[in-house]
Amino acid sequence: MIGPGKVLDTERYFVICSNAIGSCGGSTGPTSTNPRTGRPYNLSFPVIMVRDMVRAQKLLIDRLGLDTLLTVIGGSMGAMQALEWGVLYPQRVRSIIPIAGTGRTSPMAIALNALARQAIYNDPLWKKGNYKPGHPPADGLALGRAVGHISFLSDASMNLKFGRRFSARDGMFDFFGQFEVERYLEYNGRNFIDRFDTNAFLYLAKALDLYDVSWNFANRKEALGRIECPSLWFAFSSDWLYPPNQSEEMVTLLKKLDKPVEYHLIDSDYGHDSFLIEPEKFTPLISAFLDRLANG
C-alpha cells in the first residue's frame, strides 16, 4: 500500500510510520535500558495503552514541525490509533481511516490474549519477565503467537489453505503425526520468536485488551463527539477477532452525531488478515477518499 504510485503514494505524500512505544522495534519498551538501573526495564516498564502510543506520536509530529496530518490510517491496533487521533487531537488531523478495528476490545479477544499470556507465564524460562535475552521463553512465546494467529484466520481461509490434509512427512496413525494446519501454526510460532521479544508481546497484548475509546470520557458518544474530521471505515466479512458489527457500532454513533463518515464492508474469506492479504479490494476507495480531501 505504501510506495511510488501506490495508494499511499510517496511521490505525493509524506508518510510517517513510527514504532509503537512498548514494542521492541526502536521505541522505548520493556527491552530498553532503565537509566536508573542500567538494566532492561522488563516488567518494571509501565503498563501502556493505545492512547499513550498516540500521545507519543503527537510529540513526534510536534518535533517534526507538522501542524496537521492529511490522514491517520491503520489496521487492527493501527485502527485503534487512528480513532484515538481523531478523538484526542481533532485539530491536527484532516481525516482518519480505521481498518479492521474496534471501539473497544471484546471479552472474546481478551480471552484469546489471556491464553497466550498463560502459555508464556507457564514457560519456566520466562522467570517473571527476567529471562536472559539469549534464552527467551521460546516455547511459551511460540504457543502464544499460535493462539493469536488462529484469531487472524477464518474457517473458510483454513479450509482453503489446509483442508484436512495430513502432513506428508507423518503417518496418519502416528500419535504425534500432524495435520498441515498444525505444522503451519508450529512454524509460524517458531518463526516469530526470532524477531520479537516476549515481554514486548505481553505489553502490546495488554494495551489491546485495555482499549476502549470511551476511556476517561462519560461514554463512547462523548468520546466520538470530539471527532471533527471525515472518517473512512473498513470491516471484513469473515473477521471474527474484530467483527464488522464492532466497526458498525462506531459508524452508527458517528452518524447519529452528524459526523462525516463513510463505511465499507469488504467481502473476504481471510478473516482478520483480510486487509493484509487482499488490499486491492479496498485501496481504490482509499485513493478516492484521499483525492477528495486533497481537492478540498
Side-chain angles (χ1 to χ4, degrees):
M1 289 178 61
I2 305 173
K6 297 183 180 180
V7 60
L8 301 179
D9 189 346
T10 48
E11 294 180 343
R12 182 180 182 188
Y13 305 118
F14 183 79
V15 179
I16 305 167
C17 183
S18 64
N19 185 62
I21 59 170
S23 187
C24 55
S27 297
T28 307
T31 62
S32 303
T33 300
N34 183 339
R36 293 181 179 178
T37 65
R39 297 190 298 271
Y41 282 100
N42 294 334
L43 297 195
S44 68
F45 193 73
V47 171
I48 55 165
M49 301 176 69
V50 172
R51 187 160 294 177
D52 298 315
M53 299 174 189
V54 171
R55 287 172 174 150
Q57 291 165 1
K58 193 262 187 182
L59 293 173
L60 172 62
I61 69 161
D62 287 345
R63 182 65 177 266
L64 294 173
L66 301 174
D67 293 326
T68 60
L69 300 171
L70 176 66
T71 197
V72 179
I73 177 173
S76 196
M77 188 174 79
M80 300 173 186
Q81 293 172 68
L83 182 55
E84 287 292 303
W85 265 99
V87 170
L88 294 183
Y89 306 112
Q91 302 298 321
R92 305 296 293 272
V93 290
R94 291 177 56 193
S95 68
I96 59 171
I97 307 177
I99 303 170
T102 182
R104 59 184 175 192
T105 305
S106 70
M108 188 199 72
I110 294 170
L112 291 169
N113 279 340
L115 290 176
R117 277 191 287 273
Q118 287 301 320
I120 292 168
Y121 296 163
N122 289 336
D123 189 318
L125 291 181
W126 185 60
K127 299 178 180 179
K128 295 186 177 180
N130 295 311
Y131 50 86
K132 296 179 180 179
H135 298 282
D139 290 344
L141 180 58
L143 180 53
R145 172 61 174 180
V147 170
H149 197 69
I150 291 170
S151 70
F152 304 156
L153 306 175
S154 72
D155 182 59
S157 67
M158 285 191 179
N159 271 299
L160 286 169
K161 192 175 182 72
F162 309 109
R164 287 181 46 83
R165 293 190 302 278
F166 214 76
S167 172
R169 69 185 74 177
D170 296 333
M172 183 175 292
F173 296 102
D174 175 355
F175 185 79
F176 293 102
Q178 293 182 309
F179 286 92
E180 287 290 352
V181 66
E182 293 178 274
R183 284 208 174 273
Y184 172 78
L185 290 173
E186 185 177 281
Y187 167 79
N188 191 276
R190 289 290 163 186
N191 185 49
F192 187 70
I193 63 177
D194 294 329
R195 56 189 174 87
F196 215 84
D197 174 69
T198 306
N199 284 341
F201 176 88
L202 291 169
Y203 271 86
L204 294 181
K206 189 69 172 180
L208 288 171
D209 288 351
L210 290 172
Y211 185 65
D212 186 340
V213 70
S214 66
W215 185 269
N216 280 347
F217 295 101
N219 48 46
R220 285 186 292 174
K221 184 177 180 181
E222 181 185 342
L224 296 181
R226 292 176 51 85
I227 297 175
E228 298 178 3
C229 65
S231 59
L232 174 63
W233 294 71
F234 294 98
F236 298 84
S237 58
S238 58
D239 186 350
W240 62 280
L241 181 62
Y242 301 139
N245 69 288
Q246 294 182 14
S247 291
E248 290 161 5
E249 287 176 359
M250 299 293 98
V251 171
T252 299
L253 280 171
L254 287 167
K255 287 180 176 178
K256 287 181 178 178
L257 291 165
D258 292 325
K259 304 294 183 179
V261 58
E262 182 179 335
Y263 168 69
H264 297 277
L265 175 60
I266 307 300
D267 186 38
S268 177
D269 288 332
Y270 292 101
H272 189 59
D273 269 350
S274 295
F275 73 96
L276 299 172
I277 296 173
E278 297 185 311
E280 69 280 358
K281 287 191 171 183
F282 63 93
T283 48
L285 296 164
I286 296 175
S287 295
F289 180 78
L290 293 177
D291 284 342
R292 292 196 298 274
L293 283 173
N295 294 330

